[in-house]
Amino acid sequence: MADKEFPEGFLWGASTAAYQVEGGIENVDWAEAAREGKVPEAGRACDFYNRFGSDFEIAASLGMNAQRFSIEWARIEPEEGKFNEREIEHYRAVLERLKASGVTPMVNLWHFTLPLWFSERGGFLEKGAPEIFARYCRFVVERLGGYADLWLTHNEPIVYSSKGFWDGVWPPFLRNPLQYLRVIYAVAAAHRTAYTAMKTVRPSIQIGIAKHNIFFESNSNPLNRLLCVCSDWFWNHRFLRLIEGYQDFIGLNHYHHKKYGATSRERETAVRSDMGWEIHPTSLYHCLIALKRYGLPLYVSEHGLADAADVHRPEFIKNAARAVHRAIEEGAPVRGYFHWSLLDNYEWTEGFTKRFGLIEVNYDTLERTIRPSAYVYKQIIERNALID
Ligand code: IFM
């Protein structure tokens, strides 16, 4: 790899998730919670379900050679055990579209939202959940496995359990430490069962999860050091250990830096996104290096920020490329980078108020406008190299 260049064939893309962009998904736990007034409505979202073709064209005009998207489980299996071939055809069209323009897909099978019939039975805490989830994954791979090599079963399992079972702000709105731990183990079991089922159908596909990891640091105080080590172990590595032997690559979703014992000056001077999250220029690099220990190919499956004014995103993207490049130089087998997100979208409890997109969406007209930062990304992609 020459000085500033990335390896040949490096994947550059963006990520989306079905419920956040597609629109018209009503038979999931989140839609039910919205009807009950507990979370904002997603409604027609970005209408990506109908506009994926033109959105992918914009992505291609920016030079992207990869896209990560998710399949909505409730579309494929609207009732338990009853599969909807028409929706399979929809996702086949999505994959055909990518294939026609030579774009590599990364397909995610579950991104937070559960079919209502499954959540009403207890979701992943239901006995038999691993088999139910694996049956769905297997069905999709039977039908669509020939279109993609890279598959994710789950997105951010620890975030899912923390928000839904500890903080109680996402469905099923519980605050129960025991259930919180149980669901983590249950989701890991579901992944293992799905992995085996998917590999049986198509041994050649590569399967991983998208793991949300945080860069933890501490000052020299021994208590803070201990907190840092424990947080790192539990948040970043416990789940990956639970699925060891059942993953062919690791997807890293990265957004946060946490320093135990940060000074008030450090806290006050930190640059923050519209979510109030600190923008740390090297945290991505540290998280990638920490994943070297697994000896698996790595993809940055999400990395981005809410920045409606697009003031921080250009430098954020340049720093992301620097972080990935440095990690590769130091031996981390990073194969691709997917920015979160391709489009502005539904940001869960924040509704449509936070803007993560390389492409701005006008929610009244659904018009798309490419943000200036997307052209910075385009330069990096076209040169397959750092730009300064
Ligand atoms: O929007 C989310 C996404 O669904 C999962 N990862 C983090 C993003 C930003 O919060």
Side-chain angles (χ1 to χ4, degrees):
M1 187 168 78
D3 205 12
K4 291 184 167 185
E5 284 178 16
F6 286 83
E8 212 186 305
F10 191 81
L11 297 183
W12 293 107
S15 289
T16 54
Y19 192 70
Q20 294 179 267
V21 292
E22 282 186 355
I25 301 169
E26 296 299 336
N27 54 347
V28 296
D29 52 354
W30 272 82
E32 183 70 0
R35 286 188 285 272
E36 289 166 1
K38 294 179 179 163
V39 296
E41 280 178 17
R44 68 176 176 173
C46 310
D47 194 30
F48 181 77
Y49 187 80
N50 297 306
R51 294 168 195 245
F52 66 88
S54 44
D55 287 335
F56 287 159
E57 253 169 52
I58 303 176
S61 78
L62 295 168
M64 293 183 210
N65 61 4
Q67 284 301 321
R68 174 187 165 207
F69 70 95
S70 78
I71 291 182
E72 189 63 45
W73 180 2
R75 286 195 192 276
I76 303 296
E77 193 178 358
E79 289 174 57
E80 184 177 359
K82 295 199 176 137
F83 295 96
N84 185 338
E85 295 285 353
R86 205 170 41 82
E87 295 291 5
I88 285 287
E89 288 318 307
H90 169 77
Y91 289 110
R92 190 190 305 282
V94 172
L95 286 158
E96 291 272 16
R97 184 79 191 216
L98 293 174
K99 192 175 169 191
S101 35
V103 172
T104 300
M106 177 181 275
V107 187
N108 182 18
L109 287 157
W110 174 57
H111 196 117
F112 296 150
T113 43
L114 297 179
L116 260 184
W117 59 264
F118 184 64
S119 67
E120 281 168 0
R121 283 177 44 175
F124 285 99
L125 291 177
E126 159 77 5
K127 198 164 164 278
E131 289 71 29
I132 292 172
F133 181 66
R135 181 181 58 191
Y136 152 67
C137 296
R138 181 189 170 113
F139 178 79
V140 174
V141 169
E142 271 166 4
R143 296 293 191 279
L144 303 176
Y147 288 92
D149 291 330
L150 299 172
W151 291 81
L152 300 164
T153 55
H154 295 159
N155 184 72
E156 301 179 356
I158 310 278
V159 172
Y160 169 74
S161 46
S162 301
K163 298 279 192 184
F165 296 81
W166 182 282
D167 299 337
V169 294
W170 286 11
F173 306 103
L174 297 178
R175 287 174 186 227
N176 181 328
L178 203 65
Q179 305 284 58
Y180 166 67
L181 288 175
R182 274 189 63 213
V183 84
I184 291 172
Y185 282 80
V187 169
H191 168 83
R192 292 192 301 263
T193 312
Y195 178 95
T196 309
M198 292 160 75
K199 283 283 187 179
T200 309
V201 175
R202 197 169 268 272
S204 62
I205 59 174
Q206 302 296 292
I207 305 171
I209 63 156
K211 181 68 186 63
H212 180 288
N213 277 9
I214 297 174
F215 173 42
F216 292 104
E217 281 190 295
S218 75
N219 65 2
S220 56
N221 177 308
L223 182 62
N224 286 329
R225 281 188 178 180
L226 183 65
L227 280 171
C228 180
V229 169
C230 294
S231 306
D232 184 51
W233 169 78
F234 181 74
W235 189 276
N236 291 339
H237 297 290
R238 185 74 198 107
F239 193 90
L240 290 173
R241 293 293 180 204
L242 289 175
I243 61 169
E244 213 149 19
Y246 293 85
Q247 46 179 353
D248 306 312
F249 67 88
I250 298 174
L252 166 67
N253 290 7
H254 176 64
Y255 294 90
H256 297 288
H257 165 237
K258 162 87 187 154
K259 181 169 176 183
Y260 289 101
T263 62
S264 49
R265 188 176 154 67
E266 279 172 325
R267 282 197 299 272
E268 279 155 20
T269 55
V271 181
R272 294 183 190 277
S273 74
D274 296 348
M275 293 290 279
W277 299 346
E278 182 189 346
I279 303 173
H280 188 281
T282 59
S283 61
L284 176 61
Y285 156 80
H286 291 287
C287 285
L288 287 168
I289 291 296
L291 291 174
K292 263 171 72 174
R293 70 187 73 169
Y294 295 93
L296 291 169
L298 305 173
Y299 293 86
V300 179
S301 39
E302 279 184 31
H303 182 240
L305 76 171
D307 181 20
D310 206 38
V311 282
H312 300 301
R313 199 176 284 103
E315 195 56 28
F316 180 93
I317 290 173
K318 288 186 199 167
N319 279 334
R322 289 181 190 120
V324 172
H325 191 270
R326 184 174 162 205
I328 295 174
E329 275 186 328
E330 293 177 25
V334 192
R335 308 277 194 258
Y337 174 88
F338 294 80
H339 190 82
W340 183 270
S341 178
L342 180 63
L343 304 167
D344 286 341
N345 59 53
Y346 175 81
E347 177 56 20
W348 307 111
T349 47
E350 305 291 326
F352 291 100
T353 59
K354 298 293 185 277
R355 305 270 181 171
F356 279 85
L358 291 166
I359 302 167
E360 180 184 344
V361 176
N362 176 325
Y363 291 113
D364 295 326
T365 62
L366 294 178
E367 191 190 341
R368 277 49 171 166
T369 308
I370 300 175
R371 290 205 161 94
S373 56
Y375 293 105
V376 171
Y377 192 32
K378 181 180 186 196
Q379 277 184 8
I380 295 170
I381 297 173
E382 282 179 345
R383 294 187 200 172
N384 198 34
L386 301 176
I387 50 177
D388 50 46

